[in-house]
Every structure is written in structure tokens, then in C-alpha cells.
């Protein structure tokens, strides 16, 4: 084989370097773009809608002042609009992170906590706490986490020995999800009509109960969950090449898989306890993020996508539905989630 002439070799080297630079730059640009989009969507949620607030008035209210020409503006901004935007961003980020972790670990786009029963498990715990125990706040969140972890352990136990990238895990999870949904419907049939209506609204996934206490609790629970992601994200991403190859590279795959599945369950459970099971957010965030980052798994991008989707769905459901109808955010994410995912999958390499 004859060597390439020197000018051609240099051009090829420059071309390869250019491709690598663009590949490294694209996730950074995607994260910057998603961050700006999230800020814009939150601004739209707070400033526009049925009650509009000007930017100067917003900063006046945020600084503790009062708008003399609109005495009620402070209450609407600080007790309704801003809490919904912040709660939606936090919960959406948690759903997005949880879904991306599951999809990365199991290397399957349908391996999402809201598909394999984890969200239904958390919702079942919350329904039990509300209907039978009268719980709220931290005790309700802890019960939702406990039931979600129990569901995850049950799925892992029933799918033990799976060596085909989690296919049995997903199939068992689908069955457990159906079982959890059936239990929730049974509990709804055994409660009063008023409680059933309240729970049905919550189970649809809504930000209508947003307040600063709920936001503080969600933030306090999410902060310690982010630390393992920051410290151990490299072993997690190493499993994307396959467990056998990752194990050969020195990655403790069993510990990584168990630990990050538990982390994904916790993220989804605390978000579900705060807002109800917002449909398809965990499912959609990872594929959308990968399409923006050039096919790479990126947890930060997935979290930002989840936050954007929830805040945007809440704004549309509260302000843009004809006839003045107010729809919970989960109804819209459920309605648009499935066709959006099908469209993404047809454009994704995973369709093969």
C-alpha cells in the first residue's frame, strides 16, 4: 500500500480534527441553548398568560417591593406564577434525569421509569398515604419513595439473570406498571367522590398545588441525589458500551447498575410526590436531548429538556386551551408525548 501524499494526509488530519471539535462542541452548544430556552420558558410562564406582568414590575416584586397600580400582582407572582415555574422546572429536571439514567443503563429508549412502573409505584404510595393515612409533606414523599423502591426491587428480583440489556427488566416492569395502575384504580373506587376527584386531578400530573414549602422540600431532597451523579457519572456512561465490555474495562457494572437504578428511582419518586406522575417526561427527555447533542447521552441536557417540557406544558394547559379550560400539565405531556416519541424514534439510529 502506498502512503498518501503529504498534503492529502494533512487535509485528512485537519478534517478529522474538525469533526472531533464539532462533536465536542455540539453538547456544549446544546446545553447553552437549552439553558437559555428554560429561562425564556420560565419568563413566559411568569410574565404572560391570563394575568400579565411587566419585566420592571416583576423585578420590583422579586426585590420585595409592591406595584402601586396593581396591589394583587405581588400575590399572583410570588404565590402562583413563580412557584409553578420553579416547581415545574425542578420536577421536570428530576423526571428527565431519572429517565435518562434508566435509558442509558438499560440501553433501550423505552426503558423509562414512567413506562416500567416506577412512577406508578410512587403514585400508589402517595395515594395510600393521602387516602388511608392522611399524610402530606415529607412523610408522604417518604412513603412514595418507599413504595417506588419496593417496586424497583420487585422488578429487579423478577428479572434477575437478564443478560440482554435489560429486556426482561423492561417486560417485567410493564407488568408491574399495569398492576400498580390497577391498584390505584381500586383505591380510587374505595374512597369518597370528593377525594377521588382530587386524587384523579393529582394523578394526571399537575402543578396547581405548587407552593414554596413544596418547592423547598423537593429541592432539599434533590440536592443530595445530584452528588452521586457528579462524582460517578463516568462509570455510568461507560456502561453505554455494554456491560461485558465495561466490566472488561474495569467498571464494577453490577454496583453501577444497582446504584444508579436506585438513584433513578429516587429522582422519579420525589418528583412524583411533588407533582403527581407527569406522563412521558422521563420517556421523552433522553431521546430529545440525544437528538440535540448528536446522539450522545447527556444527563444535563436531559434534565434541562425535562424542565422545559413541564414548564411549557403547564403554561399551555393554564392559558392557551380554547374555551378557558384549565388542563393539568400531565394531560398535555401525555397527549403529545407518544406521537413526539414516535417521530423521534423514526429519526433515531435506535430504530434499527
Amino acid at each position: 500500500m502506498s502512503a498518501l501524499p503529504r498534503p492529502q494526509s494533512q487535509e485528512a488530519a485537519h478534517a478529522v480534527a474538525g469533526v472531533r471539535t464539532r462533536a465536542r462542541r455540539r453538547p456544549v452548544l446544546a446545553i447553552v441553548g437549552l439553558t437559555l430556552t428554560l429561562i425564556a420558558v420560565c419568563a413566559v410562564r411568569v410574565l404572560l398568560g391570563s394575568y400579565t406582568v411587566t419585566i420592571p414590575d416583576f423585578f420590583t416584586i422579586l426585590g420585595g417591593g409592591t406595584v402601586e397600580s396593581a396591589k394583587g400582582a405581588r400575590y399572583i407572582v410570588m404565590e402562583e406564577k413563580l412557584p409553578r415555574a420553579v416547581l415545574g422546572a425542578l420536577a421536570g429536571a428530576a423526571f428527565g434525569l431519572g429517565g435518562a439514567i434508566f435509558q442509558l443503563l438499560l440501553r433501550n429508549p423505552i426503558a423509562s421509569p414512567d413506562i416500567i412502573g416506577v412512577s406508578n409505584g410512587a403514585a400508589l404510595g402517595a395515594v395510600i398515604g393521602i387516602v388511608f393515612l392522611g399524610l402530606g409533606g415529607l412523610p408522604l414523599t417518604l412513603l412514595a419513595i418507599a413504595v417506588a423502591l419496593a417496586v424497583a426491587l420487585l422488578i429487579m428480583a423478577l428479572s434477575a439473570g437478564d443478560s440482554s440489556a435489560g429486556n426482561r427488566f423492561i417486560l417485567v416492569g410493564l407488568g408491574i406498571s399495569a398492576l400498580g395502575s390497577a391498584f390505584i384504580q381500586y383505591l380510587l373506587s374505595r374512597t369518597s367522590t370528593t377525594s377521588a376527584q382530587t386524587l384523579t386531578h393529582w394523578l394526571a400530573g399537575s402543578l396547581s398545588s405548587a407552593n414554596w414549602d413544596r418547592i423547598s422540600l423537593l429541592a432539599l431532597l434533590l440536592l443530595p441525589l445530584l452528588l452521586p451523579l457528579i462524582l460517578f457519572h463516568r462509570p455510568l456512561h461507560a456502561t453505554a458500551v455494554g456491560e461485558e465490555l465495561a466490566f472488561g474495562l474495569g467498571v464494577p457494572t453490577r454496583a453501577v447498575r444497582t446504584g444508579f437504578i436506585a438513584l433513578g428511582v429516587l429522582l422519579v419518586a420525589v418528583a412524583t410526590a411533588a407533582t403527581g406522575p407527569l406522563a412521558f417526561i422521563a420517556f421523552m427527555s433522553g431521546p430529545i436531548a440525544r437528538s440535540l447533542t448528536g446522539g450522545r447521552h447527556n444527563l444535563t441536557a436531559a434534565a434541562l429538556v425535562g424542565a422545559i417540557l413541564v414548564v411549557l406544558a403547564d403554561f399551555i394547559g393554564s392559558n392557551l386551551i380554547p374555551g378557558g379550560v384549565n388542563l393539568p400539565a400531565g394531560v398535555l405531556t401525555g397527549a403529545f408525548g407518544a406521537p413526539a416519541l414516535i417521530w423521534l424514534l423514526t429519526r433515531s439510529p435506535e430504530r434499527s
Side-chain angles (χ1 to χ4, degrees):
M1 178 183 293
S2 61
L4 287 172
R6 190 173 184 79
Q8 290 184 354
S9 299
Q10 290 178 346
E11 289 179 4
H14 284 309
V16 171
V19 170
R20 288 178 175 174
T21 301
R22 287 193 294 273
R24 286 193 297 267
R25 188 183 301 163
R26 182 162 175 172
V28 176
L29 293 176
I31 289 172
V32 172
L34 287 169
T35 302
L36 294 176
T37 304
L38 176 59
I39 294 172
V41 170
C42 287
V44 168
R45 180 67 188 90
V46 174
L47 301 178
L48 303 181
S50 57
Y51 187 94
T52 59
V53 180
T54 64
I55 295 176
D57 287 348
F58 170 72
F59 283 108
T60 300
I61 293 169
L62 199 62
T66 302
V67 181
E68 295 299 329
S69 59
K71 297 290 186 183
R74 178 175 178 79
Y75 177 83
I76 293 173
V77 170
M78 297 304 294
E79 303 300 329
E80 183 183 346
K81 288 184 166 233
L82 191 57
R84 289 180 76 135
V86 176
L87 183 66
L90 290 177
F95 278 119
L97 275 176
I101 289 172
F102 270 71
Q103 289 162 348
L104 196 161
L105 276 174
L106 303 176
R107 305 197 305 284
N108 194 318
I110 69 168
S112 172
D114 48 2
I115 300 298
I116 62 175
V118 175
S119 295
N120 270 346
L124 177 61
V127 169
I128 291 173
I130 294 171
V131 173
F132 296 105
L133 305 176
L135 298 179
L138 182 59
L140 180 67
T141 302
L142 294 178
L143 182 58
I145 290 173
V147 177
L149 284 174
V151 166
L153 289 174
L154 179 62
I155 296 172
M156 293 176 71
L158 293 176
S159 61
D162 181 20
S163 60
S164 55
N167 287 337
R168 190 190 301 176
F169 188 94
I170 296 168
L171 292 174
V172 171
L174 289 171
I176 296 296
S177 178
L179 187 62
S181 180
F183 270 118
I184 290 173
Q185 295 303 319
Y186 171 74
L187 293 177
L188 289 178
S189 70
R190 304 298 298 174
T191 189
S192 66
T193 303
T194 304
S195 297
Q197 288 176 343
T198 303
L199 286 171
T200 300
H201 186 77
W202 180 82
L203 287 169
S206 172
L207 305 181
S208 61
S209 58
N211 56 56
W212 294 111
D213 290 339
R214 185 163 298 204
I215 291 170
S216 300
L217 177 60
L218 179 59
L220 286 174
L221 291 171
L222 288 179
L223 280 177
L225 299 179
L226 298 179
L227 187 60
L229 280 175
I230 297 172
L231 295 178
F232 304 112
H233 67 94
R234 290 184 184 279
L236 172 65
H237 284 281
T239 61
V241 300
E243 289 197 1
E244 293 182 359
L245 182 56
F247 185 76
L249 295 173
V251 177
T253 53
R254 184 181 294 274
V256 169
R257 180 172 177 168
T258 304
F260 275 98
I261 283 179
L263 185 60
V265 170
L266 291 174
L267 286 167
V268 171
V270 296
T272 301
T275 64
L278 289 163
F280 283 111
I281 295 300
F283 198 7
M284 290 189 294
S285 298
I288 294 175
R290 286 201 302 278
S291 70
L292 296 174
T293 57
R296 293 186 175 186
H297 290 280
N298 190 299
L299 298 181
T300 305
L304 289 169
V305 169
I308 292 168
L309 291 176
V310 173
V311 177
L312 187 62
D314 183 55
F315 175 75
I316 294 173
S318 300
N319 300 287
L320 301 183
I321 303 299
V325 177
N326 195 332
L327 289 180
V331 173
L332 291 177
T333 60
F336 293 104
L341 183 69
I342 292 171
W343 177 78
L344 283 170
L345 289 177
T346 58
R347 294 169 54 86
S348 167
E350 285 91 343
R351 68 184 185 273
S352 61

